[in-house]
Amino acid sequence: MTPGIFDTMTFEVLTLFPDIINSYLSESIMKRAIERGAVRVDVYNIRDFTTDKHRQVDDSPYGGGAGMVLKPEPVYNALDYLDRDGLERFKVLLTPDGRVFNQSLAEEYAGDRRRILFIAGRYEGFDERIRAVSDEELSIGDYVLTGGELPALVIIDAVTRLLPGVLGDSRSAEEESFTTGLLDYPQYTRPAEFRGMRVPDVLLGGNHELIRRWRRKEALRHTLQRRPELLQRVNLSEEDNELIREIKEEEE
Ligand code: SAM
């Protein structure tokens, strides 16, 4: 089902640092998307679901070793509390060993999911038993960050910009890198010449068909040069194959 503009998508984030999330949401496109009702983001502090006097959320690892581990109880308590509303929520655990998030998954989430909850880890990671609550484990790439807040924001941002009515011009999302299967074509704005670098003449000429062809060719060139493996998943048209031949001839 493709959601309509008034079909609000809800994100929930369990974190130890709600301000990190809220700060990003209070600016620019995310702020406007929330104001327009396209998305709603509810942030919960895991520490609020502790039951001990010291509100402890972490503890040392069994078996010894460096750092601390996020305890299971506060996370399970938070989920018990949220699940009392009986609403269906898709639970995503953020972890470097998860499935790597990409644009196809952003599109899938934007189309299919109405309520996604993220669990942001911290410290050396989380108690292994927390994995049992999640529907999906996601990573945003092969590197280790300090916590799951940036990964949650990366995913929320990438999904939100695909929702109807969020970007001023829906073509903006449709033409972006990865959505078409290709990397984006180069963009220019005024001035027409800057420090000896000129904007390609075709973009100044106003011939829409020539501009379309040039953009497609440059998107193909970019992809061939930077991420050739992406081309294997694109259904290339006859025109694309002709443009690729031209690019190869130009580069010989
Ligand atoms: N010891 C863990 C490991 O080696 O996999 C790393 C823990 S990391 C310092 C703390 C938390 O940050 C993780 O539990 C996870 O929630 C989040 N995190 C860090 N890098 C991430 C990534 N690439 N994708 C998603 N979440 C990440």
Side-chain angles (χ1 to χ4, degrees):
M1 182 190 71
T2 306
I5 174 124
F6 298 114
D7 193 2
T8 304
M9 176 151 190
T10 302
F11 298 104
E12 297 169 320
V13 188
L14 291 188
T15 169
L16 287 165
F17 296 94
D19 289 350
I20 297 177
I21 307 288
N22 289 326
S23 148
Y24 186 74
L25 300 178
S26 64
E27 304 279 350
S28 182
I29 287 181
M30 280 308 308
K31 179 182 178 194
R32 283 203 301 279
I34 292 168
E35 284 170 355
R36 286 182 189 161
V39 281
R40 179 190 160 110
V41 187
D42 295 328
V43 187
Y44 299 92
N45 191 334
I46 297 172
R47 200 175 294 281
D48 291 340
F49 297 92
T50 50
T51 49
D52 64 304
K53 179 166 90 186
H54 301 291
R55 306 184 78 211
Q56 193 181 342
V57 289
D58 59 331
D59 209 337
S60 48
Y62 275 121
M68 300 294 270
V69 175
L70 183 61
K71 287 162 67 66
E73 300 97 316
V75 173
Y76 273 76
N77 289 344
L79 292 173
D80 287 346
Y81 170 82
L82 290 173
D83 281 338
R84 282 190 321 197
D85 61 13
L87 298 173
E88 194 183 322
R89 44 176 58 77
F90 188 75
K91 295 170 183 129
V92 175
L93 182 65
L94 298 160
T95 175
D97 59 6
R99 172 184 179 191
V100 180
F101 181 73
N102 61 18
Q103 190 70 12
S104 310
L105 201 51
E107 285 164 18
E108 193 183 309
Y109 279 11
D112 293 348
R113 309 260 174 241
R114 305 287 10 109
R115 180 176 293 268
I116 303 179
L117 175 134
F118 296 99
I119 304 168
R122 273 272 155 177
Y123 313 119
E124 281 309 305
F126 39 77
D127 184 289
E128 191 68 11
R129 290 163 290 187
I130 292 177
R131 289 190 197 269
V133 299
S134 72
D135 297 303
E136 177 131 59
E137 297 184 10
L138 288 186
S139 161
I140 61 160
D142 292 346
Y143 39 80
V144 176
L145 297 159
T146 310
E149 290 73 19
L150 289 173
L153 286 170
V154 164
I155 298 168
I156 290 172
D157 186 305
V159 174
T160 298
R161 56 190 287 113
L162 298 176
L163 297 174
V166 169
L167 297 185
D169 180 345
S170 65
R171 280 174 307 169
S172 306
E174 282 161 20
E175 290 179 2
E176 277 175 329
S177 291
F178 308 111
T179 304
T180 59
L182 303 179
L183 300 181
D184 204 0
Y185 50 78
Q187 300 272 19
Y188 295 88
T189 186
R190 276 181 276 271
E193 183 162 346
F194 175 70
R195 297 196 178 190
M197 294 176 278
R198 268 189 65 73
V199 172
D201 286 337
V202 62
L203 298 179
L204 306 173
N207 182 323
H208 295 299
E209 174 51 20
L210 286 183
I211 291 172
R212 184 202 61 76
R213 194 175 189 279
W214 181 86
R215 285 181 166 164
R216 185 74 188 170
K217 184 171 175 180
E218 295 313 307
L220 286 163
R221 192 193 306 273
H222 246 157
T223 313
L224 270 170
Q225 286 171 345
R226 294 166 187 229
R227 300 286 304 277
E229 79 283 5
L230 292 178
L231 281 174
Q232 283 160 12
R233 280 178 265 145
V234 180
N235 277 333
L236 296 172
S237 65
E238 259 182 50
E239 183 190 51
D240 288 336
N241 286 320
E242 187 187 311
L243 292 170
I244 289 172
R245 272 195 298 278
E246 284 179 25
I247 293 166
K248 289 193 169 153
E249 276 167 25
E250 284 164 20
E251 285 169 9
E252 268 166 21

